[in-house]
Amino acid sequence: MSDPGGQAKRPWKKHIADQLKQRDRVQRQAFEELIHQYNRLLEKSDLQAVWSERLQTDKFDHQNRHDLSPAAEAGRGDALLQEMAHIRIRHQEELTELHKKRGELAQNVIELNNLIQLKDKEIQTNEAQILQYQRRISELEAECRGLGGSLQDLERANQTLRDEYDALQITFGALEEKLRRATEDNQELVSRWMAEKAQEANLLNAENEKDIRRRQAKLQKDLAEAAKEPLPIDLDDDIEVLQVLQEDTAEATGDTSPGRAISRTPSRRVSRSPPGGILDSLTHIFGRRRSVSLSLDAAETERSSAVCTEVCLPTTALHTFDAHDGEVNAVCFSPGSRVLATGGMDRRVKLWEVVSGHCQMKGSLLGSNAGITSIEFDSAGSYLLAASNDFASRMWTVDDYRLRHTLTGHSGKVLAARFLLDNARIVSGSYDRTLKLWDLRSKVCMKTVFAGSSCNDIVCTEQCVMSGHFDKKVRFWDIRAESIVRELELLGRVTSLDLSHDRTQLLTCSRDDLLKIIDLRSNAVRQTFSAQGFKCGADWTRVTFSPDGSYVAAGSADGTLFVWNVLTGKLDRTLDKQHSSAINAVAWSPSGAHVVSVDKGSKAVLWSDI
């Protein structure tokens, strides 16, 4: 704090002194006039006393002179008396006026005294406030000094943090360079490992071919020995055996011409070799064929049921059921159309069997830690891939409901995951604006591509990945080059992509409430669909092609299912009254017989033309 001598020199004290001097000058002027008038009054009073004395003296002298000469002075005395009377009257009036002014001045003095008292009180109040402000100023100065010290400490700490940050930046740069070198080494090792695996596979294939040739040679030798001895056969059983035997012989010798017929006449006799020779070979052949037939039976049945002979337009809701405990985000049919998968916010993927127009619960696929956003079967229907909000993608086997792979690496929720055509790799797109290519054999991320915007959906061909993004763009990626081949910008955020069966047309849905078909050969919009009342309900609303590519189906925010004709571009039909909330996804069975729609209110509806 500063000393009192320094405080006396401060501007506010000088200001107060100037104000007091100004008040003295103002009030002094008022009192000077009052004192001047009062002095004049006193002077006139004194003058009146002098005049009175003079008049008394003159009167006494006049009386004396009158006594001496009464006749001569009579006239002069009367005139003097009259003059004295006039002077007395004038003096009396002046005295009255002066008394009146004295009263007024006395009243002014009283008022000015009261005003002086009020000013004194104000001065005392101001002095008290000045003391209080001085104390406050002292406190604030002390606080400022304390804050100044804290600021210096913070500046020193900030400088220390900046130095540490610079050091960490240098360390981070070194670690990033080390990571880059390690990634390059890893990619090189993976490439070498894959090359060695391919070489081993080629060697194994060569060994298998040699083994097959040895078996074929042995089979030819056994057949030649078996043909030397005649052996009667049973007409009911051995004719079929002979047919299979001759087919195998034709395959072994390479003769598969249609003209090579198999005789089924009863008179035909074949030779039988002793037990332990040709019978063992035939048993091996028949056993192998039976096992192959049994193993392929389910797959053949699945594929045969998935053949789309005719697309049935949905007209009737066959089955409405609660699919999940909460919002249902995704739905997909297996390649055989008999199994339906749904994924919801309850962190489950549920499998349903479509039987006689109803969906029967088969089981649940567990393991996700957040809501499911996308699901897809592989081309054989053996595996199911799902993306979820816990930044991961997972793959299960359908027959035993076991979790096989968990692919983590994204820093945001994964909104889409799709198999490539080889079923050995998958592509995932995330809210973190990246796409990742995964190898299911090594369970590692092979590539990471920065897309620049949140990825909402993905579809794949052999070497091209198409992704729909939040920034209204559809991007086409070359997997081999890790680069964008081309981009196509729409009028709204892209929510869904779907490929036609022949992979020449791409269906898009966006938040501008429009569906578009893009011809991939010309990279141009071929058709645009819209309808009165159709509104895209979310950034992940999924739409679908029919199996033959003749129709497209999409769900609206009001729970209505819309179906458009691709050839005419017109709305074919509108289905409502089944969903009470926004439809999130629509799936068309590969057989063309059913359509399933799922909504935010946990319901799923199975549609058909029945």
Side-chain angles (χ1 to χ4, degrees):
M1 294 182 64
S2 59
D3 57 347
Q7 289 184 354
K9 296 179 182 179
R10 293 188 178 180
W12 61 271
K13 287 194 173 184
K14 185 176 181 299
H15 177 72
I16 292 174
D18 294 339
Q19 292 292 324
L20 292 174
K21 291 179 181 179
Q22 179 68 21
R23 189 191 68 175
D24 289 341
R25 285 194 296 271
V26 172
Q27 293 182 357
R28 183 177 179 181
Q29 291 176 0
F31 282 105
E32 282 179 352
E33 180 66 23
L34 179 64
I35 293 170
H36 178 68
Q37 294 295 334
Y38 186 71
N39 290 332
R40 286 183 59 191
L41 179 62
L42 292 177
E43 289 176 357
K44 289 185 178 182
S45 178
D46 294 337
L47 181 61
Q48 183 180 5
V50 172
W51 276 97
S52 297
E53 291 178 358
R54 288 179 62 186
L55 288 174
Q56 290 293 334
T57 304
D58 290 342
K59 182 178 179 182
F60 180 75
D61 292 338
H62 177 70
Q63 287 178 357
N64 290 331
R65 286 193 301 270
H66 182 69
D67 291 338
L68 295 175
S69 55
E73 296 293 334
R76 184 179 178 182
D78 292 336
L80 185 60
L81 288 175
Q82 290 178 359
E83 183 180 359
M84 290 297 295
H86 286 296
I87 292 173
R88 187 180 291 109
I89 292 170
R90 189 171 62 251
H91 287 177
Q92 189 68 33
E93 290 176 355
E94 290 180 359
L95 183 61
T96 303
E97 184 69 24
L98 290 174
H99 278 295
K100 186 186 294 185
K101 288 185 178 181
R102 180 181 180 183
E104 293 177 356
L105 292 175
Q107 182 65 32
N108 291 333
V109 169
I110 293 172
E111 292 177 356
L112 290 174
N113 286 330
N114 294 332
L115 184 60
I116 289 173
Q117 292 177 0
L118 292 177
K119 294 298 182 179
D120 290 338
K121 291 181 180 179
E122 290 181 1
I123 290 173
Q124 293 177 358
T125 304
N126 291 334
E127 289 177 351
Q129 290 181 352
I130 288 171
L131 293 175
Q132 183 178 359
Y133 289 152
Q134 287 178 350
R135 289 194 296 270
R136 180 60 179 166
I137 288 171
S138 301
E139 294 175 357
L140 291 175
E141 288 177 349
E143 186 176 355
C144 286
R145 287 193 295 272
L147 291 175
S150 300
L151 180 60
Q152 292 178 358
D153 294 339
L154 289 175
E155 288 178 349
R156 288 193 294 269
N158 188 23
Q159 183 63 38
T160 303
L161 290 175
R162 281 199 296 267
D163 296 339
E164 292 179 356
Y165 175 76
D166 293 338
L168 289 175
Q169 282 289 100
I170 296 172
T171 305
F172 176 75
L175 291 175
E176 191 174 27
E177 179 65 22
K178 185 177 179 180
L179 175 62
R180 186 186 62 79
R181 291 196 300 268
T183 304
E184 292 177 354
D185 295 342
N186 184 37
Q187 291 179 353
E188 182 181 358
L189 291 174
V190 169
S191 300
R192 290 170 55 190
W193 180 70
M194 294 298 295
E196 292 177 358
K197 285 291 183 182
Q199 186 177 1
E200 291 179 0
N202 293 332
L203 294 174
L204 183 61
N205 291 334
E207 292 293 333
N208 290 336
E209 290 178 359
K210 291 181 181 179
D211 186 63
I212 291 173
R213 286 196 294 269
R214 284 197 301 270
R215 289 185 180 181
Q216 289 177 351
K218 183 178 180 181
L219 179 61
Q220 290 178 2
K221 181 177 179 181
D222 292 341
L223 288 175
E225 292 177 355
K228 293 179 181 179
E229 297 181 2
L231 180 65
I233 60 176
D234 184 41
L235 294 179
D236 296 330
D237 299 330
D238 293 344
I239 291 177
E240 183 178 1
V241 172
L242 180 60
Q243 179 183 0
V244 173
L245 183 62
Q246 290 179 348
E247 289 177 355
D248 288 338
T249 304
E251 293 177 359
T253 58
D255 188 3
T256 58
S257 61
R260 185 178 179 88
I262 299 175
S263 175
R264 291 178 178 267
T265 57
S267 60
R268 178 72 180 265
R269 296 291 183 268
V270 298
S271 62
R272 182 186 298 272
S273 63
I278 188 64
L279 290 181
D280 293 340
S281 299
L282 295 177
T283 303
H284 174 72
I285 294 171
F286 296 147
R288 182 185 63 185
R289 286 180 173 271
R290 188 177 298 109
S291 63
V292 171
S293 176
L294 289 176
S295 63
L296 295 178
D297 182 61
E300 291 295 335
T301 303
E302 181 80 2
R303 283 195 293 269
S304 64
S305 62
V307 176
C308 177
T309 58
E310 182 180 0
V311 172
C312 300
L313 290 179
T315 57
T316 306
L318 300 181
H319 188 201
T320 301
F321 57 98
D322 289 327
H324 290 268
D325 298 332
E327 184 175 351
V328 189
N329 292 331
V331 61
C332 181
F333 277 96
S334 67
S337 302
R338 292 183 58 86
V339 178
L340 175 70
T342 58
M345 294 302 292
D346 59 357
R347 303 177 296 174
R348 297 172 181 265
V349 177
K350 292 188 178 182
L351 300 179
W352 311 82
E353 186 174 5
V354 182
V355 179
S356 301
H358 282 74
C359 295
Q360 299 177 0
M361 180 73 175
K362 288 188 63 178
S364 296
L365 307 181
L366 307 177
S368 177
N369 298 317
I372 304 297
T373 58
S374 171
I375 55 177
E376 186 187 34
F377 286 94
D378 70 333
S379 59
S382 302
Y383 296 94
L384 186 138
L385 175 65
S388 64
N389 286 329
D390 62 352
F391 309 168
S393 302
R394 292 174 175 83
M395 190 174 73
W396 292 267
T397 48
V398 176
D399 54 353
D400 57 1
Y401 311 144
R402 291 183 59 185
L403 178 63
R404 297 296 180 178
H405 302 300
T406 299
L407 307 175
T408 59
H410 284 289
S411 60
K413 54 187 178 182
V414 184
L415 300 176
R418 296 287 183 266
F419 284 101
L420 291 177
L421 294 184
D422 56 7
N423 292 331
R425 296 174 297 171
I426 68 170
V427 177
S428 60
S430 171
Y431 188 77
D432 63 3
R433 301 179 293 176
T434 63
L435 278 73
K436 288 183 180 290
L437 177 64
W438 306 85
D439 186 356
L440 296 179
R441 290 167 293 191
S442 60
K443 303 178 185 178
V444 297
C445 176
M446 300 173 61
K447 295 178 182 178
T448 299
V449 180
F450 182 73
S453 178
S454 172
C455 178
N456 292 332
D457 201 6
I458 294 174
V459 291
C460 305
T461 59
E462 292 182 358
Q463 296 296 337
C464 183
V465 174
M466 288 154 275
S467 56
H469 296 270
F470 186 85
D471 62 356
K472 307 179 184 179
K473 291 184 180 180
V474 179
R475 291 180 170 87
F476 299 82
W477 305 87
D478 188 347
I479 298 177
R480 296 163 295 185
E482 298 185 31
S483 61
I484 301 177
V485 178
R486 58 182 181 270
E487 290 183 350
L488 182 65
E489 186 169 2
L490 303 181
L491 300 178
R493 300 191 295 270
V494 182
T495 69
S496 176
L497 301 176
D498 192 29
L499 280 174
S500 61
H501 182 69
D502 56 1
R503 302 185 184 278
T504 61
Q505 299 182 101
L506 177 66
L507 175 64
T508 68
C509 177
S510 54
R511 290 307 298 269
D512 58 352
D513 305 329
L514 295 177
L515 277 71
K516 295 180 183 292
I517 292 181
I518 302 171
D519 192 337
L520 298 180
R521 293 165 294 190
S522 61
N523 194 29
V525 177
R526 174 190 166 191
Q527 190 70 267
T528 300
F529 305 99
S530 62
Q532 182 70 29
F534 174 74
K535 184 174 180 61
C536 186
D539 286 348
W540 52 87
T541 299
R542 310 299 190 194
V543 298
T544 183
F545 265 117
S546 63
D548 60 355
S550 300
Y551 300 92
V552 295
S556 178
D558 60 356
T560 304
L561 181 63
F562 291 82
V563 181
W564 287 271
N565 190 310
V566 173
L567 297 178
T568 63
K570 296 181 179 180
L571 181 65
D572 193 284
R573 61 195 58 199
T574 303
L575 305 174
D576 54 6
K577 300 181 181 178
Q578 296 298 326
H579 291 283
S580 58
S581 57
I583 296 177
N584 282 337
V586 180
W588 211 309
S589 65
S591 64
H594 299 98
V595 174
V596 172
S597 56
V598 295
D599 62 22
K600 290 186 177 181
S602 77
K603 289 194 176 297
V605 180
L606 179 67
W607 305 86
S608 185
D609 63 343
I610 300 175

